[in-house]
Amino acid sequence: MPGKPMHGQPLPPYFRIDPDTALAELGTPTDTQGFAVIAEACARGRSDLASRGLREDGARRLRPFSTWEITRYLIPVAPAHFRRVLRANPDLPQGRSETEGGAKWFTLDEVLRLRAHFGAEGSKSKPYLPYRPEGLPAKMVAVANFKGGVGKTSTVAHLAMSAALDGYKVLVLDLDSQGSMTSIFGGRVADEWQSVYPLIARHYAEHLEAENTHRASRGETALPLDDTLTEALGISAGDLVQSTHWPNIDLIGAQLNLYWAEFQIPVWRMAARGWKLWDALTEVLERDGLLDAYDLVFIDTPPALGYLTINGLAAADILLVPMGASFLEFDSTGRFFDMLHTTFASIEEGENTAARALGRDETAFQWDAVRTIVTRYDGAQQGELAALMQAYLGPVMSPHRQDFTALIGQAGEQVQGIYEADYRDFNRETYARGRETFDETYAAFKKLLMGIWRREELEARDSRDAQAAQ
């Protein structure tokens, strides 16, 4: 009989299921309207969870930072020297104490002002300001993998926050219609017209306008521009940028209707085979000045290799691929890279067949750096497999593995990033240990970024020197 012990051991739970009890707990079948009921329940729960960390007006707020945090993590000075500088410069932010004689707390805006002061007046041997060569555009960083649950959105969010705390001006671009990144930064997106959709539509419309100029010169009938394309021509990337509760992080958000782009883009492509859709994001952001307005653009892509992801990957200078230290995730990531090769090689071959025939420059995609990052790492359980993965991937795999700690779990429950968590809600040692893994992740990324910028800086200098010598 079900449930009767066998050999003195209780039976597994799947042997103790009574059909009538199962039927009683089953409930009624779900129809199409049932999805709406479930979605509405999720929306109520999401609003309830998101209300943590919101002001009364419904906007997200960023917590203040203490003198201890500032001198340990943000501005490399001794606490005593920090306090002396504030006393000597009463025009600088002085912070606020929550209790009589208590620690001083500063907003991030104030921290940025203080960093600028130390950068201008402090020791030239200390890195108060982040490295950023003049005259070079922002670096675009795509984080992608078509396997869900690998920490893709979390990696983008924490890298963006790390860079902002480091003093960089950051734009976050959400290409995922699920809008998780938009929620993290408190973005409000009413429909697809407040996402990247109109930018891609505008790029296509501009292609049609150029094509119609050629057609007119040949006496041919113009290609029609519908109302959608005409409206998109009047939208610039700056119109879509939202401020966030971080003073130096802006956002172009996403919502569910953005998924419509996955159906519309191939229709446009079929109508105009000469339209280079993979250049849309790069060219629009560049023409609209956003690559000069920011230091870094982080792109969160959908967990699929669709048209939006292709746009994000083609725009990126740096590609980061998060993955877990498991056989299935290693296998899936390998397939992802295989699909990337097939996709971009196919685009190159299609473009270059015509380019060679016409004597034009050929298309060749190139990324400054590609790295995989092991996320949610458990050294006690996954060390051997991670070492094996490192042996096969070599320098493509970042040597730093992002640990999963108790602080990461608690911060996730509070709907915020690690850097948004108030260390007073934890043991200070727990906080320091919890953020350490993200600090190391950012350090590995920043080293990559600085190396790329330095290479370009030297190349630009050598080019100037060569021109001057002619």
Side-chain angles (χ1 to χ4, degrees), residues 61-83:
R61 65 174 182 268
L62 183 62
R63 67 174 181 85
F65 298 83
S66 71
T67 299
W68 171 76
E69 286 181 281
I70 293 170
T71 56
R72 173 163 181 172
Y73 295 112
L74 305 180
I75 303 176
V77 296
H81 179 61
F82 181 79
R83 288 189 287 268

Side-chain angles (χ1 to χ4, degrees), residues 17-30:
I17 300 173
D18 177 68
D20 290 324
T21 302
L23 174 60
E25 296 176 2
L26 179 61
T28 59
T30 299

Side-chain angles (χ1 to χ4, degrees), residues 48-228:
D48 180 38
L49 289 171
S51 67
R52 311 176 194 186
L54 296 183
R55 295 198 301 263
E56 290 182 0
D57 62 2
R60 294 290 298 271
R61 65 174 182 268
L62 183 62
R63 67 174 181 85
F65 298 83
S66 71
T67 299
W68 171 76
E69 286 181 281
I70 293 170
T71 56
R72 173 163 181 172
Y73 295 112
L74 305 180
I75 303 176
V77 296
H81 179 61
F82 181 79
R83 288 189 287 268
R84 282 196 300 271
V85 170
L86 295 190
R87 286 195 298 268
N89 297 273
D91 56 319
L92 290 176
Q94 299 295 309
R96 286 158 298 284
S97 296
E98 297 181 351
T99 59
E100 186 69 29
K104 292 290 187 69
W105 295 81
F106 300 78
T107 66
L108 183 54
D109 262 323
E110 292 172 330
V111 173
L112 295 174
R113 286 179 56 195
L114 292 169
R115 178 186 277 120
H117 173 83
F118 278 96
E121 306 294 336
S123 170
K124 301 306 178 185
S125 64
K126 289 191 175 181
Y128 297 114
L129 301 175
Y131 174 70
R132 175 71 163 92
E134 292 184 8
L136 295 178
K139 281 298 174 187
M140 301 181 70
V141 185
V143 181
N145 198 331
F146 61 23
K147 190 178 192 314
V150 295
K152 180 174 59 65
T153 298
S154 174
T155 297
V156 177
H158 284 102
L159 284 175
M161 292 176 188
S162 297
L165 290 173
D166 201 18
Y168 288 116
K169 186 167 178 56
V170 175
L171 175 66
V172 174
L173 195 56
D174 193 352
L175 298 186
D176 189 346
S177 59
Q178 295 177 85
S180 298
M181 183 63 61
T182 301
S183 296
I184 287 172
F185 286 105
R188 303 294 176 89
V189 181
D191 55 36
E192 69 273 21
W193 284 93
Q194 294 179 14
S195 70
V196 299
Y197 176 76
L199 301 183
I200 298 174
R202 188 185 110 199
H203 191 269
Y204 174 65
E206 289 170 343
H207 168 80
L208 290 187
E209 286 188 322
E211 180 64 23
N212 283 338
T213 299
H214 294 306
R215 282 174 166 262
S217 68
R218 298 191 299 265
E220 298 175 0
T221 304
L223 298 170
L225 272 73
D226 59 24
D227 292 343
T228 293

Side-chain angles (χ1 to χ4, degrees), residues 289-353:
L290 265 65
L291 299 188
D292 294 323
Y294 295 91
D295 300 312
L296 290 163
V297 179
F298 286 101
I299 305 171
D300 188 30
T301 62
L305 194 55
Y307 290 101
L308 290 171
T309 300
I310 289 172
N311 250 284
L313 296 178
D317 302 296
I318 300 171
L319 170 59
L320 303 178
V321 181
M323 64 177 180
S326 73
F327 170 80
L328 290 178
E329 294 193 34
F330 186 44
D331 179 57
S332 175
T333 299
R335 296 176 191 276
F336 175 66
F337 278 109
D338 186 44
M339 189 173 289
L340 289 183
H341 168 257
T342 301
T343 299
F344 285 102
S346 174
I347 294 172
E348 288 177 345
E349 180 59 29
E351 287 294 299
N352 294 338
T353 299

